[in-house]
Amino acid sequence: MAQKPNIPKGTRDFSPIEMAKRNYIFNTIREVYALYGFQQIETPAMETLQTLMGKYGEEGDKLLFKVLNSGDCLSKVSDEELAERNALHLASKMCEKGLRYDLTVPFARYVVMHRDELQLPFKRYQIQPVWRADRPQKGRYREFYQCDADVVGSDSLLNEVELMQIVDTVFSRFGIRVQIKINNRKILTGIAEVIGAADKIVDITVAIDKLDKIGIDNVNEELRQDGLSDAQIEKLQPIISLTGSNDEKLNTIAGVLAESETGLKGVEETRYILETLKTIGLNNEIQLDLTLARGLNYYTGAIFEVKALDVQIGSITGGGRYDNLTGIFGMPGLSGVGISFGADRIYDVLNTLDLYPKDSINATQLLFINFGEKETAYCLPLVTKARQAGIRTEMFPDAAKMKKQMNYANAKQIPFVVLAGENEMNEGKVTLKNMITGEQQMVSGDELMTIVKA
């Protein structure tokens, strides 16, 4: 017996109904991005490892899916190297390409390669899959979609304000209650300076970014292992556990960072974003969270993360400002800021809360029953007319038993069915059945279109 096929862990198939739900997510995000003047681009699934490596920190590099060189991938590997079985070294010899880990680094590469064609500031959005060699678990996949928007070529904090409005608009349209968390990498740098651990900023941000997942004791232990002294860790505690309103937190942290020019700059930037958003008004709460670090090394200014309030799941949106990313590719001095919606987690949240509009899931609206050649010839002009009127319409292809055709309509949740036999044809009409109420009525072609569209 042939072995049953399967797919890799951390990947998924999607049924037609699931795809309808996913397209509702993508289309909603796409519409909001366009509303704010963002334009769509795409980049390849594969990038060179030279582009990808070293941009996500040591942990990110480990999670890159590497692609074996075409042909003889062992041609550059000696017998001695094979015998040593050093996986990282062998990968460097056997692989020149990798699957993209996110959309931001490929976007930075795109900007540098196409700089002469771009009008700055350049506002782009991108909705494509990314891959991470992570351990699959609930809400965490090896293949998943990101829906990114970025602005490059502008230092203005109005871009951050606008991105927070986009986040608020998208989740308001979805009907998901969220909390938007904000912090600033400059504040974190200032904290590292005032506790005497400026050289440990990466270790500090990576550790405290795990606070929600592993708890304060484990974060402190990780900091200890990274070389921070007990005194330095002790100084961090009141900062990590700071409470109060956004204004109160800003005032407190401004006092703590009085001797750090970088830290005070971060406070100033954060205050501007929060004060400007107050004048605009958001539907969802925005909260200053000094433990928010965003683990990726390329962030340099404001950072954001979004949590759903009614479902226990990880971050469903994140992002921040990066001042140095394009410099890695030979184009220094170009600042950028962006956000990324985690479509797969949003999908899970919408499923859990059952928030999909019915018309986003139901595909076919109208099914014509097939009674035979003569009846089909009578119905086909109406089928065409219905489609021209924007009604999603099917004609059952075979003159099968009525029960089979009705089961088809029920299985696909088609709300209306048309029956046209000899009586209907003699009167120049059709019988329209509402599959939800069971009501049937004989109608003209024009009446049919009006009822179904209504």
Side-chain angles (χ1 to χ4, degrees):
M1 186 175 177
Q3 185 177 351
K4 188 178 178 181
N6 55 31
I7 58 175
K9 287 183 179 178
T11 65
R12 295 171 292 171
D13 289 324
F14 295 102
S15 69
I17 288 179
E18 289 169 327
M19 279 309 304
K21 292 178 176 181
R22 288 169 67 79
N23 284 329
Y24 165 68
I25 294 170
F26 296 143
N27 291 339
T28 300
I29 294 170
R30 189 178 283 114
E31 286 167 10
V32 175
Y33 281 159
L35 198 62
Y36 284 79
F38 288 76
Q39 296 177 294
Q40 187 172 14
I41 68 164
E42 288 195 350
T43 59
M46 283 188 297
E47 296 276 351
T48 67
L49 287 179
Q50 185 179 1
T51 294
L52 298 174
M53 294 291 285
K55 312 303 189 303
Y56 306 106
E58 189 177 339
E59 289 193 26
D61 284 350
K62 290 177 184 175
L63 299 181
L64 285 171
F65 273 112
K66 299 173 179 67
V67 179
L68 290 175
N69 296 336
S70 303
D72 183 6
C73 62
L74 295 173
S75 59
K76 297 179 181 177
V77 181
S78 69
D79 291 342
E80 290 77 13
E81 288 170 321
L82 273 176
E84 286 175 9
R85 300 177 66 84
N86 183 323
L88 286 176
H89 177 70
L90 288 173
S92 70
K93 289 291 194 79
M94 297 162 62
C95 307
E96 295 172 358
K97 299 174 289 293
L99 298 179
R100 60 171 172 250
Y101 177 91
D102 74 351
L103 299 178
T104 306
V105 169
F107 172 55
R109 188 266 310 150
Y110 175 94
V111 169
V112 173
M113 286 185 66
H114 299 271
R115 54 187 147 192
D116 295 334
E117 307 159 28
L118 302 181
Q119 176 65 51
L120 298 179
F122 180 49
K123 302 170 77 172
R124 86 77 166 92
Y125 75 88
Q126 199 170 342
I127 300 177
Q128 288 186 273
V130 300
W131 294 267
R132 296 183 184 179
D134 215 340
R135 185 171 65 86
Q137 53 187 288
K138 181 176 171 56
R140 188 183 293 273
Y141 306 101
R142 285 175 172 166
E143 178 186 62
F144 56 97
Y145 269 74
Q146 287 185 339
C147 309
D148 283 18
D150 289 82
V151 186
V152 294
S154 170
D155 296 325
S156 172
L157 292 171
L158 283 175
N159 296 310
E160 277 85 337
V161 171
E162 196 171 80
L163 290 173
M164 293 304 92
Q165 288 180 275
I166 287 174
V167 168
D168 188 62
T169 303
V170 165
F171 287 111
S172 296
R173 290 193 179 191
F174 285 144
I176 298 173
R177 295 192 317 122
V178 298
Q179 182 183 70
I180 305 167
K181 293 175 178 277
I182 183 173
N183 198 8
N184 195 297
R185 273 294 180 92
K186 294 184 179 74
I187 292 177
L188 293 170
T189 299
I191 291 170
E193 288 176 2
V194 298
I195 69 168
D199 59 327
K200 297 288 185 181
I201 178 61
V202 172
D203 295 326
I204 292 170
T205 55
V206 168
I208 68 172
D209 195 50
K210 300 174 185 174
L211 185 63
D212 284 349
K213 298 173 190 169
I214 65 175
I216 188 66
D217 292 338
N218 289 321
V219 166
N220 290 338
E221 181 56 33
E222 187 167 320
L223 290 168
R224 201 169 284 113
Q225 291 175 7
D226 288 332
L228 270 76
S229 68
D230 288 340
Q232 290 170 330
I233 293 170
E234 189 64 30
K235 285 181 183 177
L236 267 178
Q237 302 313 296
I239 299 169
I240 291 175
S241 58
L242 194 60
T243 58
S245 69
N246 290 337
D247 288 337
E248 288 167 343
K249 289 177 188 174
L250 279 173
N251 291 336
T252 301
I253 199 66
V256 172
L257 301 178
E259 301 301 316
S260 170
E261 185 179 343
T262 300
L264 289 178
K265 179 67 174 169
V267 171
E268 179 189 333
E269 291 176 2
T270 306
R271 195 184 300 278
Y272 174 86
I273 295 167
L274 292 172
E275 288 297 324
T276 307
L277 286 170
K278 270 188 200 175
T279 66
I280 298 166
L282 298 178
N283 294 322
N284 292 283
E285 177 196 2
I286 185 162
Q287 181 191 80
L288 174 62
D289 182 355
L290 295 173
T291 69
L292 175 63
R294 300 290 295 162
L296 302 179
N297 286 344
Y298 51 66
Y299 291 124
T300 56
I303 44 180
F304 321 105
E305 202 158 272
V306 179
K307 295 287 180 78
L309 293 176
D310 300 316
V311 178
Q312 282 291 102
I313 199 167
S315 165
I316 54 177
T317 297
R321 179 164 289 271
Y322 45 89
D323 287 331
N324 307 319
L325 196 60
T326 54
I328 298 167
F329 299 118
M331 192 178 178
L334 193 66
S335 184
V337 61
I339 54 171
S340 179
F341 289 95
D344 293 89
R345 288 186 176 181
I346 292 171
Y347 174 91
D348 290 340
V349 171
L350 288 170
N351 268 346
T352 302
L353 301 177
D354 192 21
L355 289 174
Y356 290 100
K358 289 217 179 307
D359 62 354
S360 72
I361 299 170
N362 293 338
T364 303
Q365 297 166 278
L366 184 63
L367 174 69
F368 282 76
I369 297 297
N370 187 330
F371 286 114
E373 288 185 23
K374 188 169 60 170
E375 293 85 351
T376 297
Y378 175 77
C379 288
L380 280 176
L382 282 174
V383 172
T384 301
K385 188 175 180 181
R387 288 170 178 159
Q388 289 171 342
I391 298 169
R392 300 185 295 276
T393 306
E394 288 185 56
M395 179 88 205
F396 200 85
D398 305 303
K401 289 182 179 179
M402 176 75 117
K403 183 179 179 182
K404 180 177 180 179
Q405 298 189 52
M406 285 298 190
N407 285 343
Y408 178 84
N410 284 325
K412 292 192 71 174
Q413 299 180 4
I414 299 172
F416 291 99
V417 163
V418 170
L419 305 99
E422 194 145 344
N423 289 342
E424 287 85 1
M425 289 164 62
N426 288 337
E427 293 197 34
K429 294 187 175 183
V430 297
T431 295
L432 179 66
K433 179 171 183 175
N434 185 318
M435 296 294 285
I436 298 166
T437 65
E439 180 189 356
Q440 290 189 187
Q441 56 185 314
M442 195 175 295
V443 297
S444 68
D446 288 340
E447 289 171 331
L448 166 69
M449 306 305 159
T450 302
I451 293 167
V452 175
K453 289 189 81 171

